[in-house]
Amino acid sequence: MLRQSPASPLLSLPGAVPAEGPDEGVAGHYGDLFREQRTLADGSGFVDLSHRGVVTVTGDDRLSWLHLLLTQHVSELPVGHATESLILSANGHIEHALYLVDDGTTVWAHVEPGTQTELIAYLESMKFFYRVEVSDRTEEFAVVHLPAGSIADVPDGAAVRETAHGRDVFLPRGELASFADAHGPAIGVLAHEALRVEAHRPRLGLETDHRTIPHELGWIGTAVHLQKGCYRGQETVARVHNLGKPPRRLVFLHLDGSEVHLPPHGTPIRLASDGPDGRQLGFITTSARHHELGPIALALVKRNVPVDATLLAGTTAAAQEVVVEP
């Protein structure tokens, strides 16, 4: 069973509507989804991501040890430099995604809700003689996201991952309520997800299944360093990169705006010309309602699906944009 984080105290804020599925435990929205998206896109407010797992690695060998296990080059990771990385199976399939930063003494990482227990079990099995300590800090620390352009201050001493998309702050869980008072308005995860879909950024467990490899999602470069070896699954990464033919590819979809319901995760993708009974060519991974673009989605389709083809997501017409080149 996946170990879930404590429910967020911010669910008691006015208008809070609980999120469902993998984001259970925090607010999906606070009463006005599109206003929250616009606020976030304008660089204001913050997103409560306290349902995500928090893992730390300490010890003198933490970076050199992680370098042997992760797909990213981290042996010389500068203090305060944010990166993301994957852990693969022996066959190159994605098992974990880590969003990490080193503060000079500790590597802080946040991961998908409930995956930290399995991740830590794997890391513990690989410690051998290395001087490292791995800890689950989920009950002590919560992640909050400040959007790009935010001028909000963060508490002294807090670990921060700063990227082009904003800052992820590892906040003592007991300070969530006071942080919300100082840096509101709180923004629900549905707004955060809509902007993630717009930016074509994959998410473990939504854009991935049991056989997903990094090339299919565009994670080469951002989470996978092609000039390093010595990690599990590296042979598959190198082979597919050299051949240039991943079996599937991530696409961005503009969905028919007249549809009342968004197609959920797993909805079959077919060619519009074949109709709803045609051969399945992929599936919806995440769909969202965007404040400017309308209904949008990410989907994983077979590599040879024509890039100019109109698709069907269930019975919903969908125009595609290329994310991963075929």
Side-chain angles (χ1 to χ4, degrees), residues 213-220 226 236-238 240-241 246 248 324:
I213 60 176
H215 315 69
E216 297 176 322
L217 304 183
W219 249 329
I220 299 297
L226 291 173
T236 298
V237 169
V240 176
H241 177 71
R248 301 177 297 181
V324 175

Side-chain angles (χ1 to χ4, degrees), residues 94-168:
I94 300 169
E95 293 189 344
H96 294 282
L98 297 82
Y99 301 83
L100 52 90
V101 67
D102 183 74
D103 68 4
T105 61
T106 302
V107 172
W108 294 80
H110 65 81
V111 299
E112 286 298 321
T115 64
Q116 64 270 19
T117 301
E118 184 180 348
L119 169 63
I120 289 173
Y122 170 69
L123 294 177
E124 288 285 351
S125 73
M126 302 300 291
K127 284 173 64 173
F128 304 117
F129 55 84
Y130 289 93
R131 296 170 296 174
V132 294
E133 292 295 331
V134 183
S135 301
D136 183 352
R137 309 295 296 277
T138 307
E139 294 188 0
E140 302 168 67
F141 288 89
V143 179
V144 294
H145 174 77
L146 294 166
S150 170
I151 60 173
D153 295 327
V154 300
D156 291 340
V160 179
R161 291 185 70 254
E162 184 165 4
T163 72
H165 304 289
R167 290 176 287 167
D168 298 335

Side-chain angles (χ1 to χ4, degrees), residues 44-115:
S44 299
F46 75 96
V47 184
D48 177 11
L49 299 179
S50 61
H51 61 314
R52 292 186 64 82
V54 176
V55 176
T56 61
V57 182
T58 57
D60 292 344
D61 296 335
R62 64 189 183 281
L63 292 177
S64 58
W65 175 67
L66 286 171
H67 186 77
L68 299 175
L69 305 177
L70 304 181
T71 57
Q72 189 58 275
H73 196 297
V74 297
S75 61
E76 300 171 1
L77 186 67
V79 172
H81 181 83
T83 191
E84 57 189 78
S85 190
L86 309 173
I87 289 178
L88 308 180
S89 72
N91 293 322
H93 301 138
I94 300 169
E95 293 189 344
H96 294 282
L98 297 82
Y99 301 83
L100 52 90
V101 67
D102 183 74
D103 68 4
T105 61
T106 302
V107 172
W108 294 80
H110 65 81
V111 299
E112 286 298 321
T115 64

